Amino acid sequence: MKELKEKIIALKKEKNAVILAHYYQEADIQDVADYVGDSLGLSQEATRVDADIILFAGVHFMAETAKILNPSKKVILPDLNAGCSLADSCPPDLFKKFTDAHPDHIVITYVNCSAEVKALTDIVCTSSNAVKIVESLPKDQKIIFAPDKNLGKYVMEQTGRDMVLWDGSCIVHEAFSFDKLLALYKEHPDAKIIAHPESETHILKTAQYVGSTAGMIEFVKKDPNHKFIVATEAGILHKMQQEVPDKILIPAPAKEDNTCACSECGYMKMNTLQKLYNCLLNESPEINVPQDIMEKALIPIERMLELSK
Ligand code: 13P
Ligand code: SF4
């Protein structure tokens, strides 16, 4: 493993490549990355990359977003099958019919969707800026929010706005068991529950903090509490624990019993260190987006970046 990590680091230098990784990647992958972050941070970082190659250790929509934001770079993804249940829940042709049926609505889409869906969007958002973006619009503005209904409901609750929601969800965040979470909290009444807004409403209502992956890490760093139950994909625990080595972090339990007693994203975990190495060596698989889609999708992503300043 150590040898493979060293080979990746050397190859990265040789090829003038940078590795951008999401917090849900396995620990070894995070360790060889140049930048590890949430969806917003990764998009912002992608615009700043000066190297020739961006090796994206994340899922397909993230690599696509990086390509749209920095099209002159070669963007490669270790496994093209690393998708996302949210992105899959929103096929562009059906989404077009949906937006056509609501012509007087502004379309806000969560970044977890395909480039084609972004091309049908007015403003993109992530979990760290969704509330701010909705609040930036006039109060009487009609809004479509897609594809995550759980994040959509959370934003509605936070802003007091009514929005038309697309019926999509994240299989990883819907896998948390409310009963097991309550039982765990009973065992650890001194813990604070923190949750990602892709989780279901009843989970979010029990949480003392709700936010993006980067927001959750910041919260455990700043909060004086010493114990946290963490309701998001378990990969986050690697960086989080590095930030707060003396605090106790307990992953929220999934409905199904599994070896990690947590919830893991099978798509994120398709990337392995070996696939990272092969991808860098072969400079493949490469992410390419048709020019017209790229141009249309860039507009709502840039609006998001502007509103996030
Ligand atoms: P953030 O890292 O932006 O919070 O998103 C979480 C997620 O599920 C990415 O797919
Ligand atoms: Fe998609 Fe959920 Fe995996 Fe994030 S955790 S990539 S939203 S399936």
Side-chain angles (χ1 to χ4, degrees), residues 232-251:
T232 192
E233 211 272 355
I236 197 176
L237 297 171
H238 179 59
K239 270 277 176 289
M240 199 181 260
Q241 194 72 75
Q242 282 178 346
E243 294 287 351
V244 290
D246 299 328
K247 295 193 180 185
I248 299 167
L249 306 173
I250 310 168

Side-chain angles (χ1 to χ4, degrees), residues 18-302:
V18 293
I19 300 180
L20 305 185
H22 188 266
Y23 290 122
Y24 295 165
Q25 291 295 283
E26 62 179 54
D28 287 326
I29 293 180
Q30 294 189 37
D31 291 346
V32 295
D34 298 277
Y35 177 87
V36 184
D38 71 352
S39 308
L40 178 63
L42 286 161
S43 302
Q44 290 165 329
E45 195 59 26
T47 65
R48 293 191 276 262
V49 169
D50 205 23
D52 297 325
I53 298 176
I54 299 175
L55 168 51
F56 210 105
V59 291
H60 193 272
F61 77 82
M62 295 180 170
E64 229 177 28
T65 306
K67 180 69 187 176
I68 294 164
L69 283 167
N70 207 339
S72 66
K73 307 299 171 194
K74 185 180 248 190
V75 178
I76 51 177
L77 180 72
D79 191 326
L80 278 186
N81 293 318
C84 168
S85 68
L86 266 172
D88 290 348
S89 75
C90 195
D93 52 337
L94 294 184
F95 191 59
K96 171 92 173 69
K97 284 190 187 142
F98 187 71
T99 57
D100 286 350
H102 301 87
D104 49 351
H105 288 58
I106 270 196
V107 180
I108 301 182
T109 57
Y110 189 34
V111 69
N112 299 37
C113 62
S114 64
E116 286 86 349
V117 167
K118 288 186 179 78
L120 299 167
T121 293
D122 294 304
I123 316 176
V124 167
C125 72
T126 76
S127 51
S128 60
N129 56 26
V131 169
K132 189 175 172 187
I133 284 173
V134 169
E135 279 178 340
S136 74
L137 300 173
K139 279 215 154 41
D140 57 350
Q141 176 63 57
K142 293 180 182 164
I143 301 170
I144 285 176
F145 190 92
D148 188 8
K149 63 178 176 194
N150 292 316
L151 176 62
K153 281 184 210 163
Y154 174 72
V155 173
M156 275 168 50
E157 196 253 319
Q158 291 293 303
T159 60
R161 305 277 183 109
D162 201 18
M163 302 194 294
V164 178
L165 302 181
W166 181 264
D167 188 15
S169 61
C170 161
I171 44 169
V172 178
H173 289 86
E174 287 203 333
F176 293 119
S177 158
F178 188 52
D179 294 341
K180 287 188 190 173
L181 179 65
L182 292 184
L184 187 65
Y185 189 47
K186 231 174 166 176
E187 260 179 67
H188 302 277
D190 54 337
K192 279 191 180 173
I193 299 175
I194 60 171
H196 193 279
E198 287 172 15
S199 310
E200 291 171 287
T201 305
H202 50 280
I203 302 276
L204 297 181
K205 287 218 184 302
T206 64
Q208 280 100 333
Y209 174 79
V210 175
S212 75
T213 50
M216 292 169 87
I217 292 177
E218 268 317 292
F219 183 78
V220 300
K221 274 167 72 179
K222 290 200 179 126
D223 193 85
N225 216 52
H226 73 289
K227 199 187 270 185
F228 299 88
I229 297 174
V230 184
T232 192
E233 211 272 355
I236 197 176
L237 297 171
H238 179 59
K239 270 277 176 289
M240 199 181 260
Q241 194 72 75
Q242 282 178 346
E243 294 287 351
V244 290
D246 299 328
K247 295 193 180 185
I248 299 167
L249 306 173
I250 310 168
K255 290 170 193 155
E256 302 290 327
D257 286 325
N258 56 27
T259 44
C260 77
C262 65
S263 190
E264 284 193 307
C265 176
Y267 299 109
M268 286 278 181
K269 268 38 185 198
M270 280 181 183
N271 295 330
T272 61
L273 218 46
Q274 186 62 52
K275 284 188 199 169
L276 238 72
Y277 177 74
N278 296 347
C279 174
L280 202 48
L281 188 68
N282 304 320
E283 299 183 20
S284 162
E286 187 180 350
I287 299 293
N288 280 304
V289 183
Q291 191 59 31
D292 58 327
I293 299 289
M294 190 120 96
E295 283 166 19
K296 285 185 193 150
L298 178 63
I299 300 165
I301 303 172
E302 283 191 325

